[in-house]
Amino acid sequence: MTRDAGFDDFLDAVEAGDPYYLVDDDGGAHLPPMPHDPVTGEAGLTERPVPEPGEILTHTTTQIAAPQFEDDTPYVTAVASFGPVNITGQLRDIPPENAEIGQAVTLGVDRSETRDERVLVFYPV
Amino acid sequence: MTDVRVAGVGMTPFGRHTERTGRDLFAEATARAFTDAGVERGAVEEVFFGNFMGEFAETQGHQGPLAAEVAGVQAPATRLDSACASSGAAVRYGVERIRAGADVVLVGGAERMNNLSTAGTTEALAAAADALWEIRAGLTFPGAYALMANRYFERFGGDREDLAHISVKNHANAVENDLAQYQRTLTVEEVLNATSISSPFGLYDCSPISDGASAAVLVSESFVTAHDLDAPVRITGTGQGSDTFALQDRESMVRTPAAERAGEAAFAEAGIGPGDVDVAEVHDCFTVAEVLALEALGFYNPGEAIGAANRGETTIDGRLPVNLSGGLKAKGHPVGATGCAQISELTKLLRGDHVNSDAVPDAEVGVTHNAGGTVASCVVHVLEVDR
């Protein structure tokens, strides 16, 4: 699979144990790829480490998937808060019925069952 | 600022028309609209056409001039893609073009979806989400709205049964609407027991996969006068809003600021407030979307619209009937056609020639709310009728 600049760099960083977000001059937090402050257009965003663990804000168990995840169903997709940034990923190592809002999670990278492609995931703490 | 009149509207029946092309569907919708309008095709000065997934479904891009051609119109033509709000955006561009001096503009949209597999349609619709942060995490569109629904339940309360009443209401509204994909009622139990798609949504929380087209002929006041047209419905307000593309970047996943901004702008142009609205067609692509729409437009405070259908406030005999057409849920949701279809149905409701017009015989003001993605895009229109 062709790499997506910025996003795959983020996955590399998660795999290396150093996930990061970007912060602008006003303290606004953004996820890569973000070339500049999306509000002001100012360049010069700086990297900061993503604080872990995060906390699940919401989740859903998907039964009907797009072709690239057809063999992965059912799977849990969640949005989790990691300090100043929220991140979307799949929840691993827990039965879907046990997924809970408020669950503490860490970031990881796994492979999809269907196409063996990298997926951003959450592991329960 | 000149008023914009809706001279005529037209739709195909929405449904499963697997073998019909988008161009065929749009030709039918525009023929109906021109007949309804009593306007010659040669008078059209510009065409705005909404379509979202033509490249996926028909390997067909560059659909603006194609839309004009099948409509029998020779005029500059542009396709707009704003996901499920594509033809709402087309209507808005048409309104602005009339205000800028044109006399006649053709607007509308079309979508062919059922020639793809369910998985293929799911993939195509997901293209309205963030390809990196959402699609690569396996997020589907039902999944995205399911995330919003579960967050809403956590923040404000409510449950699947509250959402089920929205589906039941909109299906009941569609029973007599021959343009609707599903002319049958549902019970709360049927909704709750349906196959799970993406929790908390079952099949009947989701709008169907639909084929169809819609069109409207918009004209200036002076054109109406010069040609002695019968065009009692005016578009008196238009508004559009945008928001962060990915759901994860929203300050709140239970508010839709793009819709709030679009609604405020449209209401301000029309010189009205939410309390002046008699009837609304809102974007119920999933049951929770109707809740979020009603709150964004100011009909309810945040957290208070969840039980509106259950309480009978938005039903056909309620104080604010919502989605008398059947909504996206039962009328169907050929995504690129939906926004203009709302205009078509609301125009007929206000004129008095819709099958459900008798439910709102004195209605003077109606609103349409058409959302794209997880409401990263939204277009709102205010329609008023001469009484």
Side-chain angles (χ1 to χ4, degrees):
Chain A
M1 184 180 185
T2 304
R3 286 175 61 87
D4 289 317
F7 181 77
D8 277 295
D9 297 332
F10 181 83
L11 297 187
D12 293 344
V14 172
E15 289 181 315
D18 299 313
Y20 60 89
Y21 66 96
L22 304 169
V23 64
D24 60 46
D25 288 343
D26 298 322
H30 316 284
L31 288 165
M34 184 61 72
H36 48 242
D37 181 338
V39 176
T40 66
E42 293 292 326
L45 304 184
T46 56
E47 293 183 7
R48 297 271 175 80
V50 172
E52 295 189 76
E55 178 184 318
I56 290 180
L57 297 174
T58 184
H59 60 84
T60 182
T61 301
T62 294
Q63 305 283 355
I64 305 296
Q68 59 266 43
F69 287 98
E70 269 184 319
D71 297 336
D72 290 70
T73 57
Y75 58 87
V76 178
T77 306
V79 176
S81 169
F82 292 84
V85 291
N86 295 338
I87 295 175
T88 308
Q90 290 187 14
L91 184 61
R92 292 287 200 260
D93 293 351
I94 188 170
E97 61 273 20
N98 290 346
E100 285 187 2
I101 291 174
Q103 167 76 50
V105 292
T106 58
L107 281 168
V109 175
D110 198 358
R111 313 291 299 194
S112 68
E113 182 74 22
T114 309
R115 295 189 181 173
D116 193 33
E117 292 172 346
R118 293 201 297 179
V119 181
L120 192 57
V121 300
F122 305 135
Y123 294 110
V125 174
Chain B
M1 189 161 58
T2 182
D3 271 344
V4 177
R5 295 264 172 181
V6 184
V9 294
M11 284 172 56
T12 66
F14 284 2
R16 188 175 177 85
H17 309 296
T18 309
E19 295 184 2
R20 292 190 69 182
T21 61
R23 69 183 77 184
D24 176 40
L25 293 164
F26 192 61
E28 179 183 336
T30 53
R32 290 173 183 246
F34 280 117
T35 299
D36 188 45
V39 172
E40 296 295 325
R41 287 171 165 79
V44 174
E45 295 165 80
E46 195 144 358
V47 178
F48 294 107
F49 174 76
N51 175 266
F52 172 57
M53 49 184 275
E55 286 83 354
F56 277 93
E58 300 189 280
T59 59
Q60 185 63 70
H62 194 202
Q63 293 194 28
L66 176 61
E69 185 176 315
V70 300
V73 168
Q74 290 186 318
T78 305
R79 168 188 172 183
L80 293 104
D81 163 19
S82 199
C84 305
S86 294
S87 62
V91 172
R92 175 173 162 79
Y93 273 65
V95 169
E96 297 289 12
R97 186 70 182 85
I98 297 281
R99 288 174 175 174
D103 280 317
V104 183
V105 175
L106 175 66
V107 298
E111 208 75 70
R112 182 186 187 186
M113 302 172 72
N114 277 295
N115 59 323
L116 297 176
S117 66
T118 299
T121 306
T122 302
E123 180 181 31
L125 293 173
D130 188 311
L132 302 179
W133 288 98
E134 295 180 328
I135 295 176
R136 286 189 60 176
L139 194 63
T140 62
F141 249 86
Y145 274 88
L147 291 174
M148 299 165 86
N150 279 328
R151 188 67 191 158
Y152 188 101
F153 292 160
E154 175 75 9
R155 175 73 176 79
F156 295 120
D159 56 27
R160 286 195 65 209
E161 187 169 337
D162 289 316
L163 297 182
H165 280 276
I166 295 168
S167 185
V168 169
K169 168 181 70 72
N170 293 347
H171 269 262
N173 289 342
V175 167
E176 301 296 331
N177 186 354
D178 289 338
L179 297 173
Q181 185 161 352
Y182 293 118
Q183 291 181 265
R184 69 181 182 92
T185 58
L186 286 175
T187 66
V188 168
E189 289 69 29
E190 285 176 303
V191 178
L192 295 176
N193 294 328
T195 302
S196 178
I197 302 296
S198 199
S199 61
F201 296 151
L203 180 64
Y204 296 136
D205 286 284
C206 309
S207 55
I209 296 170
S210 313
D211 309 300
S214 60
V217 179
L218 307 182
V219 297
S220 66
E221 285 277 11
S222 57
F223 190 88
V224 169
T225 302
H227 294 81
D228 195 25
L229 297 180
D230 179 20
V233 174
R234 293 167 286 137
I235 299 180
T236 55
T238 178
Q240 184 168 353
S242 296
D243 200 355
T244 60
F245 196 49
L247 187 60
Q248 66 185 19
D249 294 327
R250 307 271 167 83
E251 188 174 321
S252 167
M253 285 184 277
V254 296
R255 300 281 294 272
T256 52
E260 293 172 12
R261 286 189 280 269
E264 288 166 5
F267 287 161
E269 281 192 357
I272 66 161
D276 298 311
V277 176
D278 300 308
V279 58
E281 290 286 315
V282 306
H283 197 95
D284 59 324
C285 52
F286 303 96
T287 43
V288 76
E290 181 167 309
V291 176
L292 298 174
L294 296 178
E295 294 177 3
L297 293 173
F299 299 130
Y300 290 87
N301 292 320
E304 295 181 358
I306 181 68
N310 196 357
R311 295 189 294 267
E313 296 162 1
T314 53
T315 52
I316 193 166
D317 54 354
R319 64 178 172 85
L320 177 65
V322 174
N323 286 329
L324 286 177
S325 70
L328 284 58
K329 176 67 201 76
K331 179 173 89 275
H333 183 29
V335 296
T338 284
C340 188
Q342 292 175 320
I343 297 291
S344 180
E345 291 288 272
L346 185 56
T347 295
K348 290 161 63 180
L349 281 162
L350 293 173
R351 287 191 317 206
D353 59 330
H354 191 279
V355 69
N356 283 333
S357 285
D358 287 348
V360 284
D362 301 319
E364 295 182 349
V365 180
V367 165
T368 63
H369 160 285
N370 182 207
T374 50
V375 203
S377 300
C378 191
V379 183
V380 172
H381 284 106
V382 177
L383 276 62
E384 300 183 53
V385 65
D386 299 337
R387 291 285 183 197

